[in-house]
Amino acid sequence: MAGRGRGSASSVTALLCAAAAAAAAAAVLLVASAPGAEAAGATYLVGDAAGWTRNVDYGQWLAGKTFHAGDTLVFKYNATYHDVVWVSKGGYRRCVVSPKGRAPVYRTGYAAVRLPAGAHYFICGAPGHCQAGMKLAVKVY
Ligand SMILES: *[C@@H]1O[C@H](CO)[C@@H](O)[C@H](O)[C@H]1NC(C)=O
Ligand SMILES: [Cu+2]
């Protein structure tokens, strides 16, 4: 009786383990396929948990990341204080919204920007924020 009980218990345990292992394997596959999957594109949360704000070193956030055409940058920010402006190289360097009137500006607090190949530049348009480092330059392959 006791033996049979233990037997059933371990069969159940074995089943659960198999299920857990399968789930873990599936999770690993998903993670492994994300960076290389150019068709679907990878998604990057700018600044990770800190998001798009002041006092984040976006140069450091970029370290080790390689972007491909079709990848998405997600900017999460407090729209009371910040925005996201997709500017030119000159706009990035000088911290001005450029080209004026044509640079896309995102103001809702959440922006998912799909990246084409090339060099792309983003700044916060709030006075002084870009100068303080709220700027991001990405090279997209
Ligand atoms: C933005 O900041 C204001 C003031 O600190 C705060 O009241 C508000 O809840 C914040 N909004 C979000 C979405 O975090
Ligand atoms: Cu800002």
Side-chain angles (χ1 to χ4, degrees):
M1 282 275 253
R4 216 172 74 202
R6 272 198 297 274
S8 319
S10 51
S11 312
V12 168
T13 305
L15 273 174
L16 286 174
C17 284
V28 167
L29 276 176
L30 279 175
V31 169
S33 67
E38 263 140 84
T43 298
Y44 296 89
L45 178 58
V46 176
D48 296 318
W52 181 240
T53 186
R54 282 188 294 187
N55 304 316
V56 173
D57 184 340
Y58 290 102
Q60 191 179 314
W61 178 78
L62 283 170
K65 291 182 175 67
T66 305
F67 301 95
H68 297 98
D71 286 353
T72 299
L73 288 182
V74 172
F75 292 87
K76 283 177 90 171
Y77 54 97
N78 189 323
T80 304
Y81 303 110
H82 310 292
D83 61 18
V84 180
V85 194
W86 192 341
V87 295
S88 65
K89 187 178 190 175
Y92 173 85
R93 280 203 180 142
R94 292 177 286 122
C95 282
V96 293
V97 173
S98 166
K100 218 175 178 179
R102 286 193 290 125
V105 187
Y106 306 93
R107 305 182 197 278
T108 64
Y110 181 98
V113 179
R114 195 135 193 251
L115 298 167
H120 301 286
Y121 306 91
F122 302 90
I123 66 171
C124 177
H129 290 201
C130 173
Q131 287 87 344
M134 211 173 156
K135 61 199 299 199
L136 179 70
V138 296
K139 215 169 169 191
V140 183
Y141 295 94

